[in-house]
Amino acid sequence: MNAVRYYRGSLTSCNYDCPYCPFGKTRDSAATLAKDRQGLEAFVAWASEQGAAGHRLSIFFNPYGEGLIHRWYKEAMIALSNMDHVEKVAIQTNLSANLDFISQLNRKKVAFWATYHPGQVREDKFLSQCLTLY
């Protein structure tokens, strides 16, 4: 099996508060964050098992909120990008998170769908984050 999997967990909050977006208007409870983390860890475990069955995966994280501000999304990106049977792992992000983790990623397998929010971040800061990824 060659499959593309889109992953959207329980996360429903963002660290930005864009006026047009419902996710910036909420804050996830500790219980919701714990559920999101557990769900993502279970998904990574499932994805890991798929290699033994000969399956190839491409994975796109598209949470209802900002995933990379949470350690477990960074850890998932690292783990998945370093699995032989995972061809691509990508995430939708506003690039507001600390990007120190990117050196642990398999650069040939990762992608970022980065969106600029001019009402939330200065252009030079966003571009600096883009250059860090580059």
Side-chain angles (χ1 to χ4, degrees):
M1 168 183 74
N2 289 330
V4 176
R5 295 286 182 239
Y6 295 89
Y7 183 87
R8 178 172 286 148
S10 303
L11 188 67
T12 61
S13 63
C14 182
N15 57 330
Y16 284 180
D17 63 352
C18 301
Y20 55 83
C21 181
F23 309 115
K25 316 286 186 289
T26 63
R27 292 292 168 243
D28 285 316
S29 67
T32 299
L33 292 174
K35 179 182 176 186
D36 186 65
R37 182 179 58 11
Q38 291 166 352
L40 183 55
E41 289 170 353
F43 176 78
V44 171
W46 171 85
S48 178
E49 295 167 359
Q50 301 314 299
H55 301 310
R56 312 278 307 158
L57 298 174
S58 294
I59 298 161
F60 179 45
F61 293 116
N62 53 344
Y64 285 134
E66 177 54 41
L68 288 182
I69 61 173
H70 302 289
R71 174 184 39 81
W72 54 93
Y73 280 90
K74 295 175 183 181
E75 291 171 350
M77 297 272 305
I78 293 165
L80 292 165
S81 75
N82 286 292
M83 292 180 189
D84 291 337
H85 66 286
V86 173
E87 294 181 359
K88 181 68 75 176
V89 61
I91 191 165
Q92 181 179 352
T93 177
N94 62 25
L95 284 184
S96 62
N98 183 318
L99 298 177
D100 287 348
F101 74 103
I102 65 172
S103 64
Q104 299 171 67
L105 298 169
N106 181 333
R107 298 175 71 183
K108 296 177 181 179
K109 294 184 179 184
V110 296
F112 295 84
W113 174 4
T115 53
Y116 173 56
H117 301 271
Q120 305 297 307
V121 65
R122 292 187 337 261
E123 181 179 3
D124 63 320
K125 173 69 174 165
F126 179 78
L127 292 174
S128 175
Q129 290 288 81
C130 291
L131 288 173
T132 298
L133 289 179
Y134 180 74

